[in-house]
Amino acid sequence: MRVTFLGTGTSHGIPMIGCDCAVCRSDNPRNQRLRPSVYIENGSQCLLVDATPDFRAQALRANIRQVDAVLITHTHADHVLGLDDLRVFCQRTGRKLPIHGSPHSIETIQQMFAYACTETPAWPGLPSFELHTLQPDQQCEVAGTAFRVLPLLHGRMTVYGFLFGRDLAYVTDCNVVSADVVESIRGVTVLVLDALRHRPHPTHLTIDQARDVAGQVGAKLTLFTHLCHEAEHEAVEKELPPQVRVAYDGMQIEVANGEVRQLA
Ligand SMILES: [Zn+2]
Ligand SMILES: [Zn+2]
Ligand SMILES: [Zn+2]
């Protein structure tokens, strides 16, 4: 499978509006992060994990032409406010777009995007979603891609991570990764992991906590995501061991048979 990082920043994005800190003013493109999402191409099928408020810009930048289904980690604004922009794929295929998430996520999407969750769209230009609920630890197949649902703690909220075979675990927006989840993803080829900043946060892993989880999981390659403007890309990379790196917007990797190859 091919994985493209559409965004690797926290909810504000980097630069943050009105901030003059060194990271927000940095001209290193790796310090410019849109909201967090990945695009997964597996054979002829394409999955989007979360649809951020930056989805339009992300899709244009990555030249996205196809989305067969969307997996939702949770419904915080930085993960779902781009769902309306997916209407172009409904128009192109003439079909409802399948959206998969927890019962709570699906209920929230029904409230936020009621106009897209009707039996038939009130107007042909509107997005139209086909909603599917996923249960924690469920083994599923969506758009030809098998994965397991990983329950994660994000403060008091349970959010979902996704484990795609032994190739990829996508684990963002969490401050705790349970022993059960560590066990089920141990030895995965690529682990994408929440790592917000150095200072503690009630709902996200710090960089040190993420290093600790990465050590327990022992992925061939761990990539940190969901960074905020307190984390300067090059400075964080320097403190990490070689098998742990910081993802950046536009990064693209190919994962197959226990091997990972960086494409961009
Ligand atoms: Zn988030
Ligand atoms: Zn800043
Ligand atoms: Zn969140």
Side-chain angles (χ1 to χ4, degrees), residues 3 54 65 75 77 88 91 101 103 137 144 146-147 151 165 169 178 180 195 212-213 226 229 232 236 246:
V3 183
D54 297 315
R65 305 287 171 128
T75 52
V88 67
Q91 287 158 13
D137 299 310
F147 62 92
S178 72
D180 283 351
D212 184 50
V213 173
H226 215 296
H229 66 155
E232 200 282 324
V236 177
V246 182

Side-chain angles (χ1 to χ4, degrees), residues 73-79 154 157 159 173-174 203-204 226:
T73 59
H74 65 307
T75 52
H76 282 160
D78 52 330
H79 296 258
H154 184 32
M157 187 182 197
V159 311
D173 288 66
C174 57
T203 65
H204 290 279
H226 215 296

Side-chain angles (χ1 to χ4, degrees), residues 235-246:
V236 177
E237 285 241 288
K238 275 197 194 106
E239 30 173 296
L240 299 173
Q243 72 279 15
V244 182
R245 302 284 84 201
V246 182

Side-chain angles (χ1 to χ4, degrees), residues 187-227:
V188 70
T189 306
V190 177
L191 168 63
V192 179
L193 187 60
D194 184 320
L196 183 74
R197 64 186 189 193
H198 286 101
R199 283 190 306 127
H201 190 278
T203 65
H204 290 279
L205 294 171
T206 63
I207 287 162
D208 283 343
Q209 289 168 334
R211 274 185 74 160
D212 184 50
V213 173
Q216 293 171 44
V217 171
K220 183 166 261 184
L221 176 66
T222 298
L223 294 169
F224 286 171
T225 190
H226 215 296
L227 283 80

